[in-house]
Amino acid sequence: MRMSHLLAGAAIALASAGPVLSRPAPPAAAAPVSEKDAEARADRLLAKMTLEEKVGQLSQRFDIASLFPTGAVAPPGMPPMTPLDDNVRKAELGAVLFVHDPAVANKYQKLAVEQTRLKIPLLLGYDVIWGMRTMFPVPIATASSFDPAMVEQARGVAASEARALGIHWTFAPMIDIARDPRWGRIVEGAGEDPYLGAAMAAAQVRGFQGAGIGTPGHIIAGPKHFVGYGASMGGRDYDSAYLSDSELHNVYLPPFAAAIDAGAGNIMSAYMDLNDVPASANRTLLTDILRGELGFKGWVVTDASAVHNLVKQGFAEDKTDASIRALMAGVDMEMSMSPNAFSTLVGAVRASKVPMKRIDEAVRRILTVKYRLGLFENPYVDAAAAQRVLDDPAHAAAAQVAAERSLVLLRNEGNALPLVAGAQKRVAVIGAMADSPGDTTVSLAFPQDAAKAVTIFKGISERLNGVATVETTPGVQLSRLVPSPLAGLRGPAKLWTPAQTADELKKAVDLARRSDVVILTLGEKIEMSSEQASRSDLTLPGDQRKLLDAVLATGKPVVVVLMNGRPLDLTGVYDKVPAILEAWYPGSRGGAAVARALFGDVNPGGKTPVTWPRSVGQVPTYYARNLTHNPDTADKRYWDAPSTPLIPFGFGLSYTSFTIAPPTLDKAELAPAGRIVVSTTVTNTGKRAGDEVVQLYIHQRAGRQSRPIRLLQGFERVTLAPGESRQVRFTLDEANVRYWNSVERGWVIDPGAFDLWVGNSSTAQAHATFTVGGKPRAAR
């Protein structure tokens, strides 16, 4: 669907009838430089460089002063907020991260191109994970849209804003598969499934980079973290990961393969040990797999201080040993918060511990991308032009559409939703996140803009303006036992006293009593998700269950809106309230999107990209499990609770109803190098227009390795008017049936019978079969 059509329903007027997402080129933007020409120019420059200048290009440093706003307190362990002027002037750095002020960007570039011998511009990088100035829903939310085209457009907006500010490169998308919701960084990815993860990875790379590296108004994508970070033991951030070859290739690598096929210019290596070898010094990962198997040709950067960490991990003897081992494994650039360990490579080369050829290879990759970006011709940024890009109203409109398409209706008993605007004269919006701009969205670059975010309360107030009185109160306060490492950005939280805690709960109950309906926001504060935000428990934090029970005891109708970055244990919630709308952290216009969904202006059509466990004791649980030797008792593996999930992968309700017809296949056999077209018809059988996500799953019945009970191999989101039908087609080829065989250590295809289902979740029932023809064979 075209984005212009999607925006038609947004409650924002576009500035013009032109393209929806403006991506203005820098004022003096040159034509993109071809890769061949860029490499030739890089070789000529490389021939003029000293060893020290070469090593400088392999080093990247945090600009701490840019990361934290004036008056903020840096977390413990952070280096001083000292500008990097001297390091740039001495040609000790090839890149700087966290600069987002055009004036600072121009200052550093001026030092690099006017006060160094070879006038080599800097690469400026930033975590543009879910937006820059305009904040979109978090990635787990946009994955819920099952709409790669929308995600591509959203990342295009973020890229245009970042490039306008002088940023050239983002440490995104995060494409780690995550099957343990205790892991805090599950919020930054697309969930548990490699097929969906691959689709979202490719879409984000295309959105960030445009037609290719050097496209005006775009930036380089840096997919992370290579690889297996999402499999950390116990869901504990930074802990080691252990993956079989089968898991690595069949589950965790496909999103990276898709990102590389989409043209990703950079890859970030991971912190943690993978099978007892740190990922940032693992030659099998960074050279044999990344470059050999996946064909990656760009440059590899470490995660923050990962080279220094090799010593802490008990892997390297000292920072010289760490630098040598990381470089020789396949790292091209070191990201560091403190003085770069890679500076020791000068001595390592002179001591013949590192060949100059390897240094030149890494430097060539970095210089090539700087030429392709046109930085040698125009390293500076126009601050006035940047402001025009940031102020483009089409960006806010796109953020609202993204939020609307990311909403997932998890429960709607008795058609409790949608509400009718004006039918209730007094509306209560209660909860710790109900009117919290910083929990609706967050931006490290523009923290002051959080105040402009449309919260749930604000969105509902605006939607009901003139037809109902809308009031809010938090009811509870939420806090972490271990403070967030970025708590200094907001200043220390003032915790409520016991008396205040009781008083605030009473205020919420009193508000509920005098209201006609209660919209209760439950979930997690935003600092309870992302890096260093793993949890040992998935129940609602704080006194939220107590708040829910007290509000329910008033007898007033209650609708729950969830704001969270992971699946939660909804014990005592799911069975007590008629309607639950999953909003995740919905971004700058999230409150407006939620309000439109609650009152029926928008029909939620998202699907959950992760399986929701009933409790943390089921973790990890995911749909693509193996049958095991006793599949008939799969739902009875625990004696004290069902083994089935609370909410299956791919699930989401609608305000209308749909039927999905049994699939038909244009042929019964998938021949070698052939394809099968699968068709089904989806019909809106209800009385409202709405979206359905048609999903296709397959299962291989027998072969040289046990295969998952189901695997997603196709999806399409369609919008249908009441009574409308549409045929949906999927194409299966050998790529859909191949898998990595852990015994033969390669990709294989097994002939034989396959099951196929189409439906609207991973529990789809409409069934067909096909066979794969030919002999057992290797596959590419």
Side-chain angles (χ1 to χ4, degrees):
M1 180 179 292
R2 290 176 57 85
M3 182 60 86
S4 56
H5 293 165
L6 298 178
L7 289 172
I12 299 175
L14 299 184
S16 70
V20 170
L21 304 183
S22 61
R23 299 188 182 98
V33 178
S34 72
E35 185 174 4
K36 182 178 180 180
D37 288 346
E39 289 174 347
R41 294 173 70 181
D43 281 334
R44 290 194 293 270
L45 181 56
L46 191 60
K48 302 175 184 178
M49 298 175 72
T50 66
L51 174 57
E52 289 79 4
E53 288 167 333
K54 292 176 181 178
V55 170
Q57 288 298 302
L58 308 184
S59 299
Q60 179 188 49
R61 283 278 300 279
F62 278 47
D63 182 55
I64 304 297
S66 288
L67 176 59
F68 293 96
T70 303
V73 178
M78 279 280 192
M81 295 188 186
T82 305
L84 303 173
D85 299 40
D86 287 344
N87 305 97
V88 175
R89 192 180 290 111
K90 294 175 183 177
E92 295 174 346
L93 298 175
V96 173
L97 72 158
F98 289 129
V99 174
H100 58 269
D101 183 332
V104 178
N106 286 338
K107 177 194 74 169
Y108 281 141
Q109 294 292 22
K110 186 176 180 69
L111 291 173
V113 302
E114 297 184 20
Q115 296 190 34
T116 63
R117 186 177 74 91
L118 294 176
K119 309 182 186 309
I120 302 174
L122 295 166
L123 278 173
L124 300 180
Y126 204 90
D127 278 300
V128 190
I129 299 174
W130 54 81
M132 193 67 207
R133 165 66 69 79
T134 305
M135 300 306 293
F136 285 80
V138 292
I140 197 171
T142 53
S144 300
S145 73
F146 278 68
D147 186 353
M150 180 276 287
V151 173
E152 181 177 342
Q153 295 277 8
R155 299 300 175 258
V157 170
S160 69
E161 294 184 351
R163 190 61 191 268
L165 293 166
I167 296 165
H168 313 121
W169 159 35
T170 177
F171 313 114
M174 196 213 81
I175 55 177
D176 296 301
I177 294 297
R179 292 180 162 180
D180 189 334
R182 293 173 297 181
W183 189 53
R185 302 194 76 168
I186 190 173
V187 68
E188 297 177 48
E192 71 183 55
D193 184 71
Y195 186 90
L196 176 63
M200 291 299 167
Q204 292 183 83
V205 169
R206 291 192 301 266
F208 283 129
Q209 293 191 173
I213 294 173
T215 301
H218 288 270
I219 58 178
I220 294 171
K224 63 185 183 185
H225 308 80
F226 198 79
V227 62
Y229 186 28
S232 60
M233 290 190 301
R236 296 182 296 270
D237 216 358
Y238 308 152
D239 266 19
S240 301
Y242 292 89
L243 294 175
S244 68
D245 278 352
S246 177
E247 289 176 295
L248 180 66
H249 286 83
N250 292 317
V251 178
Y252 290 87
L253 284 174
F256 285 96
I260 290 166
D261 289 345
N266 172 252
I267 292 289
M268 180 188 287
S269 62
Y271 292 115
M272 80 296 151
D273 287 359
L274 178 63
N275 300 335
D276 296 323
V277 179
S280 288
N282 191 322
R283 183 174 176 83
T284 297
L285 289 183
L286 301 180
T287 298
D288 298 343
I289 294 177
L290 180 60
R291 296 199 183 278
E293 292 182 24
L294 302 186
F296 179 63
K297 299 187 183 302
W299 89 102
V300 174
V301 67
T302 69
D303 207 335
S305 297
V307 176
H308 287 282
N309 292 341
L310 296 176
V311 180
K312 297 179 181 179
Q313 288 168 274
F315 183 77
E317 294 179 357
D318 53 33
K319 66 180 182 179
T320 300
D321 183 39
S323 298
I324 293 169
R325 297 174 79 172
L327 183 80
M328 297 309 295
V331 167
D332 298 307
M333 178 181 281
E334 178 202 6
M335 179 195 297
S336 184
M337 290 187 287
S338 54
N340 292 80
F342 263 23
S343 62
T344 63
L345 290 173
V346 173
V349 171
R350 288 177 177 154
S352 300
K353 295 180 179 179
V354 170
M356 183 65 82
K357 179 180 179 181
R358 175 67 187 105
I359 297 286
D360 287 349
E361 178 183 57
V363 176
R364 183 180 295 108
R365 289 170 179 154
I366 294 161
L367 293 179
T368 296
V369 80
K370 290 182 177 182
Y371 279 116
R372 293 187 70 186
L373 285 169
L375 297 184
F376 284 86
E377 290 75 21
N378 181 28
Y380 301 114
V381 59
D382 182 332
Q387 195 59 50
R388 289 194 295 272
V389 174
L390 297 178
D391 292 340
D392 188 338
H395 295 183
Q400 181 167 324
V401 169
E404 291 172 358
R405 293 181 72 76
S406 299
L407 299 172
V408 185
L409 186 61
L410 297 178
R411 185 169 172 81
N412 196 24
E413 293 300 301
N415 295 319
L417 289 176
L419 303 172
V420 177
Q424 299 88 13
K425 296 304 180 183
R426 302 188 68 88
V427 176
V429 185
I430 297 173
M433 287 79 68
D435 193 30
S436 174
D439 291 303
T440 305
T441 188
V442 64
S443 171
L444 294 180
F446 304 99
Q448 72 280 4
D449 277 8
K452 299 178 183 178
V454 180
T455 65
I456 306 297
F457 167 65
K458 185 177 180 181
I460 292 171
S461 297
E462 292 175 349
R463 176 63 182 83
L464 298 182
N465 184 33
V467 299
T469 298
V470 184
E471 297 178 82
T472 188
T473 192
V476 295
Q477 184 181 47
L478 304 181
S479 62
R480 290 174 39 146
L481 179 63
V482 178
S484 166
L486 298 180
L489 285 173
R490 300 186 181 187
K494 185 177 181 180
L495 297 181
W496 293 350
T497 65
Q500 188 178 7
T501 297
D503 185 56
E504 291 292 343
L505 179 60
K506 183 178 183 299
K507 285 181 184 178
V509 173
D510 289 344
L511 174 58
R513 283 198 182 101
R514 66 175 184 265
S515 300
D516 299 317
V517 66
V518 178
I519 296 167
L520 187 60
T521 63
L522 301 175
E524 304 171 309
K525 302 283 284 184
I526 205 163
E527 63 262 24
M528 294 174 171
S529 288
S530 200
E531 192 165 1
Q532 295 188 40
S534 294
R535 292 187 63 189
S536 63
D537 181 17
L538 297 177
T539 57
L540 291 171
D543 290 333
Q544 293 183 97
R545 277 283 306 279
K546 185 177 180 180
L547 171 65
L548 171 64
D549 290 343
V551 170
L552 287 172
T554 67
K556 296 303 177 73
V558 176
V559 170
V560 167
V561 175
L562 290 177
M563 293 179 65
N564 47 295
R566 53 163 61 85
L568 297 173
D569 179 342
L570 296 181
T571 301
V573 180
Y574 194 82
D575 56 342
K576 289 185 177 181
V577 297
I580 302 175
L581 180 68
E582 174 61 83
W584 309 103
Y585 302 117
S588 302
R589 296 287 306 176
V594 169
R596 282 167 53 78
L598 290 175
F599 291 95
D601 307 315
V602 169
N603 191 345
K607 306 286 184 177
T608 178
V610 283
T611 300
W612 286 59
R614 296 178 186 274
S615 70
V616 74
Q618 287 186 317
V619 171
T621 183
Y622 46 89
Y623 85 91
R625 64 190 186 279
N626 284 7
L627 282 167
T628 77
H629 72 283
N630 193 357
D632 293 338
T633 63
D635 61 340
K636 299 179 180 65
R637 297 292 162 82
Y638 300 113
W639 65 262
D640 59 340
S643 301
T644 53
L646 177 67
I647 301 169
F649 172 89
F651 175 85
L653 300 172
S654 172
Y655 296 153
T656 190
S657 57
F658 298 92
T659 59
I660 298 175
T664 59
L665 285 63
D666 70 336
K667 54 182 69 72
E669 180 179 278
L670 179 62
R675 67 177 191 172
I676 292 175
V677 177
V678 181
S679 302
T680 186
T681 299
V682 55
T683 301
N684 183 343
T685 57
K687 297 179 180 180
R688 289 177 177 265
D691 287 10
E692 182 61 285
V693 179
V694 183
Q695 302 162 46
L696 180 149
Y697 295 85
I698 66 170
H699 167 64
Q700 178 179 320
R701 291 184 178 176
R704 286 172 279 179
Q705 185 167 303
S706 295
R707 300 293 292 134
I709 187 171
R710 292 191 181 197
L711 286 173
L712 180 68
Q713 290 297 305
F715 63 85
E716 184 175 341
R717 181 167 177 162
V718 296
T719 302
L720 298 174
E724 183 181 3
S725 297
R726 186 173 306 169
Q727 189 176 61
V728 176
R729 293 185 177 88
F730 302 103
T731 300
L732 295 176
D733 58 27
E734 290 190 329
N736 299 102
V737 299
R738 74 169 194 161
Y739 66 93
W740 177 273
N741 185 286
S742 57
V743 174
E744 300 182 29
R745 299 189 61 77
W747 293 98
V748 303
I749 295 175
D750 293 327
F754 280 70
D755 292 296
L756 179 151
W757 298 268
V758 293
N760 57 10
S761 79
S762 55
T763 63
Q765 296 300 306
H767 178 256
T769 61
F770 67 96
T771 60
V772 171
K775 299 178 179 180
R777 56 194 182 275
R780 293 183 63 84

